Amino acid sequence: MDKIRYKLLLYILISCKLMAGGVEILNFYEEIPENNILKSYLEIEKTKEYDYQKWRIAQGNSLLGKDYKLDYEVIRKKDKVEYQSGNSKGWENEFTLSKKFKEYQIFSKTWSNEIGVLWKYEQLDYPEQFGTDIARDKYSIRYRMRTNSDFGKGGTYWGVDFLGSIVENEKKDGESAEINIVGMTNLGYGFQTYTTLFNEYLNYGVSNGAYLMRVENIIRWSYELSEHFLFSIEANTNLYEYFGDTDYEYSLKFNIAPYVQYSFKILENIRGFAKIGIGGYEYEDWKAKEYRSKKSGYYFNSYAGIQYVW
């Protein structure tokens, strides 16, 4: 079944006409006239106890025809924990096909909106001594709203996502429902912030009608050193708080690090890019019913890849 699934994903990527409206170059979004984008890169993340590797084989958002859009991400990952004698390997893939509707006015603002179907697949093979491998399929219907406001020197782009999902996994199949508020603000003077407030009802796996509140925030400052180089400092915060019948209680993860970024044209339509971490700090604290972990220390993250636009 897995072989058939991945052949289908590869067919979709190769056969569909991909179109996009912009790219991010050295932390700044730029509109482009081209129709097609393909992005691939390898990311490495290291802490005192963990070693993560993610190869994003393909990542993008694309327009199919006039009103239909394909968002996709195919990730091959490998995790190494200090006390393990082997690596954990798996996949983390997501595909969304959505239809765009006409814009409308609410409270003197123009809102774009779309409805889509989403499939998210996560799979992890553990070393033999750590027990059963895991796999999860999540099938969702998503309605999305987006608008702009004048907050910040560069403005704010924000909106709401509504999702209803059916989840299949090895513990207990079930369902979930989400209302997520997202926002990106250009504060000016090189500062940007990205925030998502997740609100999710969980009724699958080890959760039985539980509620998850999650806050994800990125604050970064960027300074252009030249046409091809940029220096930045980024702070990332992820907070999970669980309520109700579930094995989880909460988790908090924070890291801050400086980076040097490089972007250059290999050919007219092929761009290489890299983001090299100089070394930073991470704090992590999480608690479940039968386990508690708290640690802090060195943090390193870097990635490099190519982007093809045509």
Side-chain angles (χ1 to χ4, degrees), residues 128-142:
E128 185 175 349
Q129 70 272 26
F130 286 91
T132 307
D133 301 334
I134 63 171
R136 182 175 71 179
D137 287 283
K138 188 175 184 179
Y139 306 95
S140 308
I141 296 178
R142 183 184 70 191

Side-chain angles (χ1 to χ4, degrees), residues 21 62 65 78 86 97 115 147 199 210 218 230 276 294:
S62 313
K78 181 173 70 173
L97 180 64
I115 191 167
T147 191
N199 299 274
I218 301 173
L230 178 142
I276 308 301
K294 184 184 292 187

Side-chain angles (χ1 to χ4, degrees), residues 8-177:
L8 176 61
L9 297 187
L10 184 61
Y11 171 78
I12 291 173
L13 283 174
I14 293 174
S15 63
C16 288
K17 178 176 175 60
L18 306 181
M19 304 179 68
V23 296
E24 186 179 79
I25 299 176
L26 293 177
N27 283 357
F28 298 101
Y29 181 83
E30 295 185 12
E31 295 286 344
I32 58 171
E34 292 83 4
N35 294 327
N36 308 295
I37 293 177
L38 179 62
K39 189 176 182 180
S40 179
Y41 60 98
L42 176 67
E43 181 177 8
I44 297 173
E45 184 176 359
K46 294 179 180 290
T47 68
K48 182 180 179 180
E49 296 182 352
Y50 297 92
D51 184 350
Y52 304 104
Q53 294 181 25
K54 286 188 177 182
W55 176 30
R56 283 174 169 82
I57 300 172
Q59 182 185 48
N61 53 67
S62 313
L63 195 63
L64 309 177
K66 183 180 178 181
D67 296 321
Y68 290 89
K69 184 177 68 171
L70 175 68
D71 297 278
Y72 60 90
E73 187 172 49
V74 179
I75 298 175
R76 180 62 168 166
K77 60 183 180 180
K78 181 173 70 173
D79 303 340
K80 170 67 176 175
V81 181
E82 186 180 56
Y83 54 81
Q84 289 184 358
S85 59
N87 296 319
S88 300
K89 299 179 180 179
W91 294 89
E92 189 176 316
N93 305 328
E94 186 172 319
F95 286 82
T96 305
L97 180 64
S98 55
K99 175 178 173 56
K100 182 180 179 181
F101 296 119
K102 290 183 178 180
E103 295 180 342
Y104 54 84
Q105 297 282 330
I106 298 180
F107 303 120
S108 302
K109 290 188 176 297
T110 301
W111 294 78
S112 63
N113 68 114
E114 62 184 41
I115 191 167
V117 290
L118 181 152
W119 170 43
K120 185 172 184 179
Y121 175 70
E122 296 177 88
Q123 179 266 334
L124 195 62
D125 295 329
Y126 285 110
E128 185 175 349
Q129 70 272 26
F130 286 91
T132 307
D133 301 334
I134 63 171
R136 182 175 71 179
D137 287 283
K138 188 175 184 179
Y139 306 95
S140 308
I141 296 178
R142 183 184 70 191
Y143 179 69
R144 170 171 286 181
M145 305 166 56
R146 293 291 186 270
T147 191
N148 293 296
S149 71
D150 296 329
F151 180 78
K153 292 183 70 64
T156 297
Y157 180 70
W158 67 282
V160 184
D161 291 346
F162 302 90
L163 292 96
S165 306
I166 295 173
V167 183
E168 298 176 354
N169 69 2
E170 73 286 348
K171 290 186 178 295
K172 185 191 76 172
D173 297 342
E175 61 279 335
S176 71

